Amino acid sequence: MLEKNYIKKAFLVIMVVLLGVLVVGNMGSQKIYSSDTTFAQLERFNEVFYYVNRYYVEAPDKEKLITGAVNGMLSELDPHSVYIPKKELERVNEQFEGSFEGIGIEFIVLNKVLTVVSPIVGGPSEAVGLLPGDQIVRIEDESAYGITENEVQKKLRGPKGSKVKLTIRRPSMSENFEVVITRDTIPIYSVISSFIMDDGETGYVLIGRFARTTSEELDKALDDLQQQGMKKLVLDLRGNSGGYLEQAFEVADKFLPGGYKIVYTRGRKKSMGSDLISTDRSTRPLNPLIVMIDHGSASASEIVAGAIQDLDRGLVVGQTSFGKGLVQNQIPLKDGSALRLTIARYYTPSGRLIQRDYDGGLMDYYQEAYEDESSKHPDSTKVYKTLSGRTVYGGGGITPDSILSDIRITRLTNRMISKRIFFEYGSNYASAHKNEKLDFNMYRANFQVTEPMLEDFKEIIKKHNIEFSQEAFDKDIDFVKMLIKAEIARNLYSSNHYYQIRISADSEVKQALGLFPKATEICKLHAWDGYSENSQQKRY
């Protein structure tokens, strides 16, 4: 999600149901309720439910009534206390558990055809040789044409050790072929990409979520980057909506010596409060650090960015983050559903509560999070000081030390992205040119998108009936060429190589790289007590 301003973020859509009341007659005696007891309120709800269930013009769906009542109750609390139905719980949990059982592919349904975006590294689909762009035309001898994403989940996921037969159409082959895949445990990676940038000394790590394995994944990525000579790091948390608090702590802990408060929580119950203090378990060298955030960076992302900023460990750049300072606990319910309930607020080391106000309603809460004006006008009434005395602001997300400007693309390019035109072209091109595959470093340095390639690309646009404007196309031509090159790289090499092409042309990353002298200065604003490159022990 690197173009948060290129594609409109999906907002929560709220349906307001207006109840028109027609009084027909008295179906029961009036009752006067006392509002000072829980029992009286529950009795009132039970009575309403009784009359609706007995007299409503049509037989009501009791499950929907109760679910609606639960959701209505939680909506009176805060935007992040939510009810998760049983049928959705597995999908929700899976995003943060770090694995699932299935065949191991990233996929899209493109023109009603199930298409492999990428086999997951180390998974069973990669083992049998599936490639980006492969089309799954039959599953267990049944046509997969027109399959929905939900149906894909049901048919391709399953218990570890079970088998599924697929019929594959590969654009470079004249005949379809069959593979039998044995399902296995598939990792869901939260470190989306990591590599050394063109200067040979700047590491780049993109974290997409804070799942159960994020800290472990980040350790592996940093080990690899340090072996390649990393001397400074860009930690990209743009679009990262959060996850587990303990994982946010462990990520921040890697960049700080022991003995510093990273985050603390406070709730109505004393047991819900805790102070999380940095350790020396996995502290990395105090190399210059830049953390990138945007309007979509929330919760756990803000914990990391807030700690790095408040403790003057590095430079936070980008746009003001979402502003979610509430901590939820997921409580399993007896019917298999779950309640995700806010139990505490969290605070950055300087004492900032970065939760935005939500009194204006849910729609305003989500819309305002993505307004650029919030980056330019921090709340000057909520001023805090970092460890070295720098001024930072609370009450509305993490305000970056440096605001980065971004490019804006045309509606045409937005449409091409949403319709997967770039992926379709990259898949077709790679299938036709696999024998011409270059070493990736040569590809990155020398490959050019030519005019004949652009004409072929336009034919795909035409096929999808997208309204075309040559003026808009020319306006975004550099961005278009970059995305074409990146999608070809994904199909010829891997998703990590796709991001290497993308990031090399990312205007915000380019701006961030120029800010490393400032990041270095901030890190040297105060001495790090007890820190030694040769010792992992805190000294007092």
Side-chain angles (χ1 to χ4, degrees), residues 129 283 319:
T283 301
Q319 291 84 43

Side-chain angles (χ1 to χ4, degrees), residues 432-486:
H433 295 82
K434 286 197 181 293
N435 294 333
E436 304 170 26
K437 182 176 177 180
L438 302 171
D439 171 80
F440 176 71
N441 289 329
M442 293 181 62
Y443 174 88
R444 181 171 58 175
N446 301 319
F447 185 87
Q448 300 292 325
V449 176
T450 64
E451 284 301 319
M453 291 172 65
L454 291 175
E455 292 303 316
D456 291 342
F457 183 79
K458 290 177 186 178
E459 287 299 313
I460 298 180
I461 299 174
K462 183 178 179 181
K463 182 181 72 173
H464 285 269
N465 296 318
I466 296 175
E467 184 179 349
F468 183 79
S469 164
Q470 188 64 50
E471 180 182 357
F473 192 79
D474 291 341
K475 182 177 183 297
D476 288 346
I477 190 63
D478 290 339
F479 186 76
V480 168
K481 287 182 176 180
M482 179 275 293
L483 277 186
I484 290 175
K485 183 175 180 178

Side-chain angles (χ1 to χ4, degrees), residues 53 56-61:
N53 187 47
Y56 185 65
V57 66
E58 297 174 355
D61 185 324

Side-chain angles (χ1 to χ4, degrees), residues 35-52:
S35 61
D36 60 359
T37 68
T38 301
F39 178 79
Q41 301 301 334
L42 291 174
E43 185 181 7
R44 179 160 60 102
F45 171 79
N46 186 57
E47 191 169 11
V48 171
F49 180 80
Y50 169 80
Y51 285 122
V52 169

